Amino acid sequence: MSQSTTTTLGGSPLSIASGLHGRHLTRRLVQLYVGLTLYGVSSALLVRSGLGLEPWGVLHQGLAEKTGLTIGVVSIVVGAAVLLLWIPIRQKPGLGTVSNVFVIGVAMDGTLALVPDVHGLAGQVPLLALGIVLNGVATGLYIAARFGPGPRDGLMTGLHRLTGRSIRLVRTAIEVAVVATGFALGGSVGVGTVLYALAIGPLAQYFLRWFAVPEPEPTLQAAPAPTSRSASVRPEVAPETPGQAILRP
């Protein structure tokens, strides 16, 4: 085993250096960075639609309004701050985690610089729909690359592991707090926020399967012989994958 820093998400060991080998490495790296870039693009499209943002986007926009920073820079700062919260809950980052902090914010600001504001529902509604679907594609791409969760996803799964509470409860509590704080700061909450919440789970799950990279076959080991006639061998349950843990409602 490598001496690099490792973490566990849904029972799967992850690290900044782990996974940087194998015949699918190039594909996985491309998926990771294309997915993170598209995530930033999709978030920018939701901003330009003016019909409401995803939960963390509401917070980022609210903080941008108060600080005068661009929303992409705020996204980077918040991502780094959330990553610091991994320390007390003993989560440790993967390559995808660190890349997530920077790539999404840069892609978001770049897209906002190129795409102008849209006025009128005839333009806003298609832009909102494109942003939500593209966000689902992006999520499926970068999670399926298996380089570790984003800072916000890792916070959710870390608190789930630490507290024993369900993923659904932890995720809901975090996102309600994030939306409420962002709205109080001036972030945009609207029909797009609701549609995003309803659609992103099914979309991401679909694209996660679509972009899944074949994993290496596990090495089979012989089970130890029973110590007595009454002993029985229990079948082992496969650990939950990172994507399943993050996307489970």
Side-chain angles (χ1 to χ4, degrees):
M1 178 179 292
S2 169
Q3 293 182 345
S4 61
T5 301
T6 60
T7 185
T8 299
L9 175 62
S12 300
L14 299 168
S15 72
I16 293 179
S18 71
L20 293 177
H21 54 77
R23 59 194 178 96
H24 298 296
L25 176 59
T26 300
R27 173 183 166 179
R28 291 171 58 220
L29 286 170
V30 170
Q31 277 195 204
L32 172 65
Y33 289 106
V34 170
L36 293 177
T37 300
L38 290 181
Y39 198 102
V41 172
S42 67
S43 294
L45 294 182
L46 294 179
V47 172
R48 289 298 187 228
S49 77
L51 296 176
L53 304 179
E54 76 278 17
W56 284 94
V58 177
L59 177 62
H60 297 156
Q61 189 181 54
L63 288 171
E65 292 286 338
K66 295 298 183 183
T67 62
L69 299 173
T70 67
I71 192 169
V73 170
V74 169
S75 173
I76 292 171
V77 172
V78 170
V82 171
L83 198 53
L84 291 177
L85 295 177
W86 283 32
I87 297 173
I89 61 176
R90 298 184 180 180
Q91 289 278 93
K92 296 175 184 177
L95 174 65
T97 310
V98 177
S99 299
N100 183 294
V101 173
F102 298 100
V103 175
I104 291 177
V106 171
M108 193 174 184
D109 274 351
T111 304
L112 288 172
L114 296 174
V115 178
D117 287 321
V118 176
H119 302 286
L121 291 178
Q124 290 175 297
V125 172
L127 203 60
L128 172 66
L130 177 60
I132 292 175
V133 172
L134 192 60
N135 195 276
V137 173
T139 302
L141 276 168
Y142 90 78
I143 290 179
R146 304 196 312 273
F147 281 112
R152 299 153 185 84
D153 293 327
L155 176 65
M156 175 186 66
T157 54
L159 289 174
H160 156 68
R161 176 180 51 80
L162 188 67
T163 65
R165 302 295 184 180
S166 69
I167 285 285
R168 176 181 298 178
L169 178 61
V170 173
R171 178 174 182 169
T172 300
I174 291 175
E175 294 192 350
V176 167
V178 164
V179 169
T181 303
F183 181 69
L185 292 172
S188 177
V189 176
V191 64
T193 309
V194 176
L195 290 176
Y196 179 92
L198 293 175
I200 192 59
L203 282 172
Q205 191 69 58
Y206 172 79
F207 287 112
L208 180 62
R209 292 194 297 266
W210 184 271
F211 295 117
V213 180
E215 297 191 54
E217 292 293 330
T219 302
L220 298 178
Q221 297 181 349
T227 56
S228 69
R229 294 182 61 184
S230 60
S232 60
V233 178
R234 293 181 300 174
E236 293 199 7
V237 179
E240 190 174 47
T241 67
Q244 290 170 332
I246 293 170
L247 299 176
R248 178 155 49 87

